[in-house]
Amino acid sequence: MVMSWIFTGILGISIVFACVTGQGSALAAAIPKGAQNGITLAISMAGAISLWSGVGKLMEHAGFTAFLSRLLRPVLHRVFPSTKTDITAAGYLSANICANFLGLGNAATPMGIQAARRLAKGKDYATNELCRLIVLNTASIQLIPATVAAVRVSQGCQTPFDILPAVWITSFCSAGLGLTAAWIMGKVWHNG
Amino acid sequence: MVDYIVPCLLFAAAAATLRKKENAYDLMLSGAADGLKLMVRLLPCLILLLTAVGMLRASGAIEILSNWLSPFFSLFGIPPETAMLVLIRPISGSAALAVGADLMAQYGVDSLIGRTAAIMLGSTETTFYTISVYFGAAGIQKTRYTLPAALIADLTGFIVASITAKWLF
């Protein structure tokens, strides 16, 4: 439903602005051109996306997630104290974070939902740890941003992965500040 | 250094799967087929959204809106050209892809704006979608400070993306 509003809204805004700027013919020409751009983008992305989800399947079977989870344990205990006692939650949580890190969105979400159910502890409000889990998930810490790389390739980029260090620094900062903000707000926010 | 990360990761994934005596090639084939299915689902979205974004660009709306929002974005050091991307990123992933691709085409994929857009796309998530999926599944009514905290994380991402695009290239 949200998308219907966004799509219709964009069309309405375009028409109003085209009337004001007198760009009517450009507006009309943009319609078939945009549709063509859409299919060009999709086709030129398809190769990289498809290959990468093949790699994702391999990483799942090769046990990369399990390996990373072990490395993550000490950090996990600090950010989510209840994982010290709740082994099941710890398992789901680290699987969620590691799958996200490896870009395995399909594997990450079900694990994250299981973790969220454990951290919710049957309450109807979001516990501090649940808030932190979601902030961590929205900050998107990712080793290889494959989708963006595919978009860059489709636009003729020769070095699609040269943004990797920048992406790592950026998502690390946003996760860090998001968690800090959540931690501070968790101290002052009343329950419910 | 960075150049070897992706090739080596590819090799390591295949070698580690082989070591477990699993059929690495077949697994990859089925994964790649899943990826194509995902693309087929994404394709109609991209057609609709690139049409909408193309109209918005042709009408002059993006330029005018960016100019209006420019003082606000400059305050945070975010290039005003990326205003549309910043606004749509937390709401819709496919729309953000369309806007990002439009920015790369408009300004050049290796330009400052093109790179900033790519870093923003790579380091943020569809916040509202994520929140609704997780809280929906866990049956949470009161989200408390989750949304503001997640939006602070997003804003940090947009600001740091603008900085790293400038300083690392």
Side-chain angles (χ1 to χ4, degrees), chain A residues 55-117:
Chain A
V55 179
K57 193 120 191 178
L58 280 188
M59 291 195 287
E60 253 178 270
H61 280 261
F64 280 25
T65 332
F67 172 73
L68 279 176
S69 302
R70 277 202 297 280
L71 295 182
L72 194 72
R73 274 299 146 83
V75 189
L76 200 70
H77 288 332
R78 305 209 68 158
V79 183
F80 301 98
S82 73
T83 58
K84 280 182 204 156
T85 47
D86 189 343
I87 307 292
T88 321
Y92 286 136
L93 251 168
S94 53
N96 167 255
I97 296 168
C98 297
N100 269 327
F101 180 73
L102 294 173
L104 313 172
N106 290 333
T109 311
M111 290 297 150
I113 287 172
Q114 294 297 336
R117 288 208 177 116

Short mmCIF file of all heavy atoms in Angstrom, two decimals, chain A residues 55-117:
data_model
loop_
_atom_site.label_atom_id
_atom_site.label_comp_id
_atom_site.label_asym_id
_atom_site.label_seq_id
_atom_site.Cartn_x
_atom_site.Cartn_y
_atom_site.Cartn_z
N VAL A 55 26.97 -17.95 -4.69
CA VAL A 55 28.05 -17.92 -3.69
C VAL A 55 27.46 -17.96 -2.28
O VAL A 55 27.98 -18.63 -1.40
CB VAL A 55 28.92 -16.65 -3.88
CG1 VAL A 55 30.01 -16.60 -2.83
CG2 VAL A 55 29.52 -16.63 -5.26
N GLY A 56 26.34 -17.24 -2.11
CA GLY A 56 25.67 -17.23 -0.81
C GLY A 56 25.29 -18.63 -0.36
O GLY A 56 25.50 -19.02 0.78
N LYS A 57 24.75 -19.40 -1.30
CA LYS A 57 24.36 -20.77 -0.98
C LYS A 57 25.59 -21.59 -0.56
O LYS A 57 25.53 -22.37 0.38
CB LYS A 57 23.73 -21.39 -2.22
CG LYS A 57 23.02 -22.68 -1.97
CD LYS A 57 21.57 -22.52 -2.36
CE LYS A 57 20.74 -23.69 -1.90
NZ LYS A 57 19.34 -23.50 -2.24
N LEU A 58 26.69 -21.37 -1.26
CA LEU A 58 27.93 -22.07 -0.90
C LEU A 58 28.38 -21.70 0.50
O LEU A 58 28.73 -22.57 1.30
CB LEU A 58 29.05 -21.72 -1.88
CG LEU A 58 29.08 -22.43 -3.22
CD1 LEU A 58 30.36 -22.08 -3.96
CD2 LEU A 58 28.98 -23.92 -3.03
N MET A 59 28.35 -20.40 0.81
CA MET A 59 28.84 -19.95 2.11
C MET A 59 27.99 -20.55 3.23
O MET A 59 28.51 -20.89 4.28
CB MET A 59 28.83 -18.42 2.18
CG MET A 59 29.88 -17.80 1.27
SD MET A 59 30.23 -16.06 1.59
CE MET A 59 28.78 -15.26 0.99
N GLU A 60 26.70 -20.69 2.97
CA GLU A 60 25.82 -21.31 3.96
C GLU A 60 26.25 -22.76 4.21
O GLU A 60 26.39 -23.19 5.35
CB GLU A 60 24.38 -21.31 3.43
CG GLU A 60 23.46 -20.33 4.10
CD GLU A 60 22.10 -20.38 3.46
OE1 GLU A 60 21.89 -19.62 2.50
OE2 GLU A 60 21.27 -21.19 3.90
N HIS A 61 26.45 -23.51 3.11
CA HIS A 61 26.79 -24.93 3.24
C HIS A 61 28.21 -25.15 3.73
O HIS A 61 28.51 -26.16 4.35
CB HIS A 61 26.58 -25.65 1.90
CG HIS A 61 25.16 -25.98 1.65
ND1 HIS A 61 24.63 -27.23 1.88
CD2 HIS A 61 24.13 -25.21 1.23
CE1 HIS A 61 23.34 -27.21 1.59
NE2 HIS A 61 23.02 -26.00 1.20
N ALA A 62 29.10 -24.19 3.44
CA ALA A 62 30.50 -24.36 3.82
C ALA A 62 30.71 -24.11 5.31
O ALA A 62 31.79 -24.33 5.83
CB ALA A 62 31.38 -23.43 3.00
N GLY A 63 29.66 -23.61 5.99
CA GLY A 63 29.78 -23.39 7.43
C GLY A 63 30.42 -22.06 7.79
O GLY A 63 30.92 -21.89 8.89
N PHE A 64 30.39 -21.08 6.86
CA PHE A 64 30.96 -19.77 7.15
C PHE A 64 30.21 -19.09 8.30
O PHE A 64 30.81 -18.45 9.15
CB PHE A 64 30.89 -18.86 5.91
CG PHE A 64 31.98 -19.12 4.91
CD1 PHE A 64 32.62 -20.35 4.86
CD2 PHE A 64 32.39 -18.12 4.05
CE1 PHE A 64 33.63 -20.58 3.94
CE2 PHE A 64 33.40 -18.34 3.13
CZ PHE A 64 34.01 -19.57 3.07
N THR A 65 28.87 -19.27 8.30
CA THR A 65 28.06 -18.61 9.32
C THR A 65 28.43 -19.15 10.70
O THR A 65 28.60 -18.38 11.64
CB THR A 65 26.56 -18.85 9.05
OG1 THR A 65 26.38 -19.04 7.66
CG2 THR A 65 25.74 -17.70 9.50
N ALA A 66 28.56 -20.48 10.80
CA ALA A 66 28.88 -21.09 12.08
C ALA A 66 30.25 -20.61 12.58
O ALA A 66 30.43 -20.31 13.76
CB ALA A 66 28.88 -22.61 11.94
N PHE A 67 31.20 -20.50 11.64
CA PHE A 67 32.55 -20.06 11.99
C PHE A 67 32.53 -18.64 12.53
O PHE A 67 33.11 -18.35 13.59
CB PHE A 67 33.45 -20.16 10.75
CG PHE A 67 34.80 -19.56 10.92
CD1 PHE A 67 35.76 -20.18 11.70
CD2 PHE A 67 35.12 -18.36 10.30
CE1 PHE A 67 37.01 -19.61 11.86
CE2 PHE A 67 36.37 -17.79 10.45
CZ PHE A 67 37.32 -18.42 11.24
N LEU A 68 31.83 -17.74 11.82
CA LEU A 68 31.76 -16.35 12.24
C LEU A 68 31.06 -16.23 13.59
O LEU A 68 31.44 -15.41 14.43
CB LEU A 68 31.00 -15.52 11.20
CG LEU A 68 31.79 -15.07 9.99
CD1 LEU A 68 30.87 -14.36 9.01
CD2 LEU A 68 32.91 -14.13 10.40
N SER A 69 30.01 -17.07 13.80
CA SER A 69 29.26 -17.01 15.05
C SER A 69 30.17 -17.21 16.25
O SER A 69 30.03 -16.54 17.27
CB SER A 69 28.18 -18.08 15.08
OG SER A 69 27.32 -17.93 13.99
N ARG A 70 31.12 -18.16 16.11
CA ARG A 70 32.03 -18.43 17.23
C ARG A 70 32.88 -17.20 17.53
O ARG A 70 33.11 -16.86 18.69
CB ARG A 70 32.93 -19.62 16.90
CG ARG A 70 32.26 -20.96 17.19
CD ARG A 70 33.28 -22.07 17.38
NE ARG A 70 34.07 -22.31 16.18
CZ ARG A 70 33.64 -23.04 15.14
NH1 ARG A 70 32.44 -23.57 15.16
NH2 ARG A 70 34.41 -23.24 14.09
N LEU A 71 33.35 -16.50 16.45
CA LEU A 71 34.16 -15.31 16.66
C LEU A 71 33.36 -14.21 17.35
O LEU A 71 33.90 -13.39 18.08
CB LEU A 71 34.66 -14.78 15.30
CG LEU A 71 35.62 -15.65 14.51
CD1 LEU A 71 36.03 -14.95 13.23
CD2 LEU A 71 36.86 -15.97 15.35
N LEU A 72 32.05 -14.23 17.08
CA LEU A 72 31.19 -13.13 17.51
C LEU A 72 30.79 -13.24 18.98
O LEU A 72 30.44 -12.23 19.60
CB LEU A 72 29.95 -13.14 16.63
CG LEU A 72 29.06 -11.91 16.66
CD1 LEU A 72 29.76 -10.76 15.96
CD2 LEU A 72 27.74 -12.19 15.98
N ARG A 73 30.84 -14.46 19.54
CA ARG A 73 30.31 -14.72 20.89
C ARG A 73 30.63 -13.64 21.93
O ARG A 73 29.73 -13.12 22.59
CB ARG A 73 30.77 -16.08 21.40
CG ARG A 73 29.90 -17.24 20.97
CD ARG A 73 28.47 -17.13 21.47
NE ARG A 73 27.54 -17.68 20.52
CZ ARG A 73 27.24 -18.98 20.41
NH1 ARG A 73 27.75 -19.83 21.26
NH2 ARG A 73 26.42 -19.41 19.48
N PRO A 74 31.95 -13.30 22.12
CA PRO A 74 32.29 -12.35 23.19
C PRO A 74 31.58 -11.00 23.04
O PRO A 74 31.09 -10.44 24.01
CB PRO A 74 33.81 -12.18 23.04
CG PRO A 74 34.27 -13.31 22.19
CD PRO A 74 33.12 -13.75 21.38
N VAL A 75 31.52 -10.49 21.78
CA VAL A 75 30.86 -9.21 21.54
C VAL A 75 29.37 -9.33 21.82
O VAL A 75 28.75 -8.45 22.42
CB VAL A 75 31.07 -8.77 20.07
CG1 VAL A 75 30.60 -7.34 19.87
CG2 VAL A 75 32.52 -8.93 19.67
N LEU A 76 28.82 -10.46 21.40
CA LEU A 76 27.39 -10.71 21.54
C LEU A 76 26.96 -10.61 23.00
O LEU A 76 25.95 -10.00 23.34
CB LEU A 76 27.07 -12.10 20.99
CG LEU A 76 25.63 -12.36 20.61
CD1 LEU A 76 25.26 -11.57 19.38
CD2 LEU A 76 25.43 -13.85 20.35
N HIS A 77 27.76 -11.22 23.89
CA HIS A 77 27.43 -11.21 25.31
C HIS A 77 27.37 -9.81 25.88
O HIS A 77 26.62 -9.53 26.80
CB HIS A 77 28.47 -12.04 26.10
CG HIS A 77 28.33 -13.51 25.87
ND1 HIS A 77 27.13 -14.09 25.54
CD2 HIS A 77 29.23 -14.51 25.91
CE1 HIS A 77 27.30 -15.40 25.39
NE2 HIS A 77 28.57 -15.68 25.60
N ARG A 78 28.18 -8.91 25.34
CA ARG A 78 28.20 -7.55 25.86
C ARG A 78 26.98 -6.76 25.41
O ARG A 78 26.38 -6.04 26.21
CB ARG A 78 29.46 -6.81 25.39
CG ARG A 78 30.75 -7.51 25.72
CD ARG A 78 31.87 -6.54 25.89
NE ARG A 78 31.67 -5.73 27.08
CZ ARG A 78 32.66 -5.12 27.70
NH1 ARG A 78 33.88 -5.19 27.24
NH2 ARG A 78 32.44 -4.39 28.77
N VAL A 79 26.63 -6.89 24.11
CA VAL A 79 25.51 -6.09 23.59
C VAL A 79 24.18 -6.70 24.01
O VAL A 79 23.20 -5.99 24.25
CB VAL A 79 25.61 -5.98 22.05
CG1 VAL A 79 24.50 -5.08 21.51
CG2 VAL A 79 26.97 -5.43 21.64
N PHE A 80 24.12 -8.04 24.10
CA PHE A 80 22.88 -8.71 24.47
C PHE A 80 23.13 -9.61 25.69
O PHE A 80 23.36 -10.81 25.54
CB PHE A 80 22.37 -9.56 23.30
CG PHE A 80 22.11 -8.79 22.05
CD1 PHE A 80 23.06 -8.75 21.04
CD2 PHE A 80 20.92 -8.09 21.88
CE1 PHE A 80 22.82 -8.02 19.88
CE2 PHE A 80 20.69 -7.37 20.72
CZ PHE A 80 21.64 -7.34 19.71
N PRO A 81 23.09 -9.02 26.90
CA PRO A 81 23.44 -9.78 28.11
C PRO A 81 22.61 -11.05 28.29
O PRO A 81 23.13 -12.03 28.83
CB PRO A 81 23.16 -8.78 29.24
CG PRO A 81 23.15 -7.44 28.60
CD PRO A 81 22.72 -7.64 27.19
N SER A 82 21.37 -11.07 27.86
CA SER A 82 20.55 -12.25 28.13
C SER A 82 21.02 -13.47 27.34
O SER A 82 20.62 -14.60 27.65
CB SER A 82 19.07 -11.96 27.84
OG SER A 82 18.85 -11.88 26.46
N THR A 83 21.89 -13.27 26.33
CA THR A 83 22.39 -14.43 25.60
C THR A 83 23.36 -15.26 26.44
O THR A 83 23.70 -16.37 26.08
CB THR A 83 23.13 -14.01 24.31
OG1 THR A 83 24.21 -13.14 24.65
CG2 THR A 83 22.21 -13.30 23.35
N LYS A 84 23.81 -14.69 27.59
CA LYS A 84 24.71 -15.46 28.46
C LYS A 84 23.96 -16.65 29.04
O LYS A 84 24.53 -17.72 29.24
CB LYS A 84 25.23 -14.57 29.59
CG LYS A 84 26.36 -13.67 29.16
CD LYS A 84 26.86 -12.85 30.35
CE LYS A 84 27.53 -11.58 29.88
NZ LYS A 84 27.51 -10.54 30.91
N THR A 85 22.67 -16.44 29.32
CA THR A 85 21.89 -17.52 29.92
C THR A 85 21.03 -18.24 28.89
O THR A 85 20.76 -19.42 29.01
CB THR A 85 20.99 -16.97 31.04
OG1 THR A 85 20.33 -15.80 30.56
CG2 THR A 85 21.81 -16.60 32.27
N ASP A 86 20.58 -17.48 27.87
CA ASP A 86 19.67 -18.05 26.87
C ASP A 86 20.47 -18.50 25.64
O ASP A 86 20.73 -17.72 24.73
CB ASP A 86 18.62 -17.00 26.48
CG ASP A 86 17.53 -17.60 25.62
OD1 ASP A 86 17.74 -18.69 25.07
OD2 ASP A 86 16.48 -16.96 25.49
N ILE A 87 20.86 -19.77 25.64
CA ILE A 87 21.73 -20.28 24.57
C ILE A 87 21.00 -20.26 23.21
O ILE A 87 21.60 -19.95 22.18
CB ILE A 87 22.17 -21.74 24.87
CG1 ILE A 87 22.79 -21.84 26.27
CG2 ILE A 87 23.17 -22.23 23.83
CD1 ILE A 87 24.09 -21.13 26.45
N THR A 88 19.70 -20.57 23.24
CA THR A 88 18.94 -20.59 21.99
C THR A 88 18.94 -19.21 21.35
O THR A 88 19.19 -19.06 20.15
CB THR A 88 17.48 -21.01 22.26
OG1 THR A 88 17.49 -22.04 23.24
CG2 THR A 88 16.82 -21.49 21.00
N ALA A 89 18.66 -18.18 22.16
CA ALA A 89 18.65 -16.81 21.64
C ALA A 89 20.02 -16.46 21.08
O ALA A 89 20.13 -15.84 20.01
CB ALA A 89 18.25 -15.83 22.73
N ALA A 90 21.07 -16.87 21.80
CA ALA A 90 22.43 -16.58 21.34
C ALA A 90 22.67 -17.18 19.97
O ALA A 90 23.24 -16.53 19.08
CB ALA A 90 23.45 -17.12 22.35
N GLY A 91 22.20 -18.42 19.77
CA GLY A 91 22.38 -19.08 18.48
C GLY A 91 21.68 -18.35 17.36
O GLY A 91 22.28 -18.05 16.32
N TYR A 92 20.38 -18.03 17.59
CA TYR A 92 19.62 -17.31 16.56
C TYR A 92 20.23 -15.97 16.24
O TYR A 92 20.36 -15.56 15.08
CB TYR A 92 18.17 -17.11 17.01
CG TYR A 92 17.33 -18.36 16.96
CD1 TYR A 92 16.48 -18.70 18.00
CD2 TYR A 92 17.37 -19.20 15.84
CE1 TYR A 92 15.70 -19.84 17.96
CE2 TYR A 92 16.59 -20.34 15.79
CZ TYR A 92 15.77 -20.66 16.85
OH TYR A 92 15.00 -21.79 16.81
N LEU A 93 20.63 -15.25 17.32
CA LEU A 93 21.16 -13.91 17.15
C LEU A 93 22.43 -13.91 16.32
O LEU A 93 22.57 -13.15 15.36
CB LEU A 93 21.48 -13.33 18.52
CG LEU A 93 20.57 -12.22 18.99
CD1 LEU A 93 20.82 -11.94 20.44
CD2 LEU A 93 20.82 -10.98 18.17
N SER A 94 23.37 -14.80 16.69
CA SER A 94 24.64 -14.77 15.96
C SER A 94 24.43 -15.26 14.54
O SER A 94 25.04 -14.73 13.62
CB SER A 94 25.72 -15.57 16.69
OG SER A 94 25.26 -16.85 16.97
N ALA A 95 23.51 -16.20 14.34
CA ALA A 95 23.22 -16.64 12.97
C ALA A 95 22.66 -15.49 12.15
O ALA A 95 23.03 -15.30 10.98
CB ALA A 95 22.24 -17.80 12.98
N ASN A 96 21.78 -14.69 12.76
CA ASN A 96 21.19 -13.54 12.07
C ASN A 96 22.26 -12.52 11.69
O ASN A 96 22.34 -12.09 10.53
CB ASN A 96 20.13 -12.89 12.97
CG ASN A 96 19.69 -11.52 12.48
OD1 ASN A 96 20.08 -10.50 13.05
ND2 ASN A 96 18.91 -11.50 11.42
N ILE A 97 23.11 -12.17 12.66
CA ILE A 97 24.11 -11.14 12.39
C ILE A 97 25.12 -11.63 11.34
O ILE A 97 25.47 -10.90 10.41
CB ILE A 97 24.84 -10.75 13.70
CG1 ILE A 97 23.83 -10.10 14.66
CG2 ILE A 97 25.99 -9.80 13.43
CD1 ILE A 97 24.33 -9.94 16.06
N CYS A 98 25.54 -12.89 11.47
CA CYS A 98 26.54 -13.42 10.52
C CYS A 98 25.96 -13.56 9.12
O CYS A 98 26.64 -13.27 8.13
CB CYS A 98 27.08 -14.75 11.01
SG CYS A 98 27.94 -14.58 12.56
N ALA A 99 24.70 -14.01 9.01
CA ALA A 99 24.10 -14.13 7.69
C ALA A 99 23.96 -12.76 7.04
O ALA A 99 24.23 -12.60 5.85
CB ALA A 99 22.73 -14.82 7.79
N ASN A 100 23.58 -11.75 7.83
CA ASN A 100 23.54 -10.39 7.30
C ASN A 100 24.90 -9.95 6.81
O ASN A 100 25.05 -9.36 5.74
CB ASN A 100 23.06 -9.41 8.37
CG ASN A 100 21.56 -9.23 8.34
OD1 ASN A 100 20.95 -9.29 7.28
ND2 ASN A 100 20.97 -9.04 9.50
N PHE A 101 25.93 -10.26 7.62
CA PHE A 101 27.29 -9.87 7.29
C PHE A 101 27.73 -10.47 5.96
O PHE A 101 28.38 -9.83 5.15
CB PHE A 101 28.23 -10.33 8.42
CG PHE A 101 29.66 -9.99 8.20
CD1 PHE A 101 30.10 -8.69 8.32
CD2 PHE A 101 30.58 -10.97 7.87
CE1 PHE A 101 31.43 -8.37 8.11
CE2 PHE A 101 31.91 -10.66 7.66
CZ PHE A 101 32.33 -9.35 7.78
N LEU A 102 27.31 -11.71 5.71
CA LEU A 102 27.69 -12.37 4.46
C LEU A 102 26.72 -12.04 3.32
O LEU A 102 26.88 -12.54 2.21
CB LEU A 102 27.75 -13.88 4.67
CG LEU A 102 28.83 -14.38 5.63
CD1 LEU A 102 28.69 -15.85 5.89
CD2 LEU A 102 30.22 -14.06 5.09
N GLY A 103 25.71 -11.20 3.60
CA GLY A 103 24.77 -10.81 2.55
C GLY A 103 23.73 -11.87 2.24
O GLY A 103 23.14 -11.87 1.18
N LEU A 104 23.48 -12.81 3.19
CA LEU A 104 22.50 -13.87 2.96
C LEU A 104 21.15 -13.44 3.54
O LEU A 104 20.70 -13.96 4.56
CB LEU A 104 22.96 -15.18 3.62
CG LEU A 104 24.41 -15.58 3.38
CD1 LEU A 104 24.79 -16.77 4.23
CD2 LEU A 104 24.63 -15.90 1.91
N GLY A 105 20.52 -12.48 2.86
CA GLY A 105 19.27 -11.91 3.37
C GLY A 105 18.21 -12.96 3.64
O GLY A 105 17.51 -12.91 4.65
N ASN A 106 18.10 -13.97 2.75
CA ASN A 106 17.06 -14.99 2.89
C ASN A 106 17.25 -15.82 4.15
O ASN A 106 16.29 -16.28 4.75
CB ASN A 106 17.06 -15.93 1.69
CG ASN A 106 16.56 -15.21 0.45
OD1 ASN A 106 15.78 -14.27 0.55
ND2 ASN A 106 17.03 -15.64 -0.70
N ALA A 107 18.51 -16.03 4.53
CA ALA A 107 18.78 -16.82 5.72
C ALA A 107 18.70 -15.96 6.97
O ALA A 107 18.37 -16.45 8.05
CB ALA A 107 20.16 -17.46 5.62
N ALA A 108 19.00 -14.66 6.81
CA ALA A 108 19.11 -13.79 7.98
C ALA A 108 17.75 -13.51 8.61
O ALA A 108 17.62 -13.54 9.83
CB ALA A 108 19.79 -12.49 7.59
N THR A 109 16.75 -13.24 7.78
CA THR A 109 15.47 -12.78 8.33
C THR A 109 14.79 -13.82 9.23
O THR A 109 14.40 -13.48 10.35
CB THR A 109 14.54 -12.32 7.20
OG1 THR A 109 15.27 -11.44 6.36
CG2 THR A 109 13.34 -11.59 7.75
N PRO A 110 14.66 -15.09 8.81
CA PRO A 110 14.01 -16.07 9.72
C PRO A 110 14.75 -16.22 11.04
O PRO A 110 14.12 -16.30 12.10
CB PRO A 110 14.07 -17.39 8.93
CG PRO A 110 14.47 -17.06 7.56
CD PRO A 110 14.99 -15.68 7.51
N MET A 111 16.10 -16.20 11.00
CA MET A 111 16.89 -16.29 12.22
C MET A 111 16.63 -15.07 13.11
O MET A 111 16.48 -15.19 14.33
CB MET A 111 18.39 -16.33 11.88
CG MET A 111 18.82 -17.61 11.22
SD MET A 111 18.57 -18.96 12.36
CE MET A 111 18.24 -20.28 11.25
N GLY A 112 16.60 -13.90 12.47
CA GLY A 112 16.37 -12.65 13.21
C GLY A 112 15.01 -12.65 13.88
O GLY A 112 14.86 -12.19 15.02
N ILE A 113 14.00 -13.21 13.18
CA ILE A 113 12.65 -13.24 13.74
C ILE A 113 12.60 -14.16 14.96
O ILE A 113 12.02 -13.82 15.99
CB ILE A 113 11.64 -13.66 12.66
CG1 ILE A 113 11.45 -12.50 11.67
CG2 ILE A 113 10.31 -14.06 13.27
CD1 ILE A 113 10.64 -12.82 10.45
N GLN A 114 13.27 -15.31 14.85
CA GLN A 114 13.35 -16.22 16.01
C GLN A 114 14.03 -15.53 17.19
O GLN A 114 13.57 -15.62 18.33
CB GLN A 114 14.13 -17.49 15.65
CG GLN A 114 13.45 -18.38 14.62
CD GLN A 114 12.12 -18.93 15.11
OE1 GLN A 114 11.89 -19.02 16.30
NE2 GLN A 114 11.24 -19.26 14.18
N ALA A 115 15.14 -14.82 16.88
CA ALA A 115 15.86 -14.10 17.94
C ALA A 115 14.96 -13.04 18.55
O ALA A 115 14.91 -12.88 19.78
CB ALA A 115 17.12 -13.47 17.37
N ALA A 116 14.20 -12.32 17.71
CA ALA A 116 13.32 -11.26 18.20
C ALA A 116 12.27 -11.83 19.14
O ALA A 116 11.97 -11.25 20.19
CB ALA A 116 12.64 -10.55 17.03
N ARG A 117 11.72 -13.02 18.80
CA ARG A 117 10.71 -13.64 19.67
C ARG A 117 11.28 -13.97 21.04
O ARG A 117 10.63 -13.79 22.06
CB ARG A 117 10.18 -14.92 19.01
CG ARG A 117 9.30 -14.63 17.83
CD ARG A 117 8.28 -15.75 17.61
NE ARG A 117 7.40 -15.40 16.51
CZ ARG A 117 7.33 -16.08 15.36
NH1 ARG A 117 8.07 -17.15 15.19
NH2 ARG A 117 6.52 -15.69 14.40
#
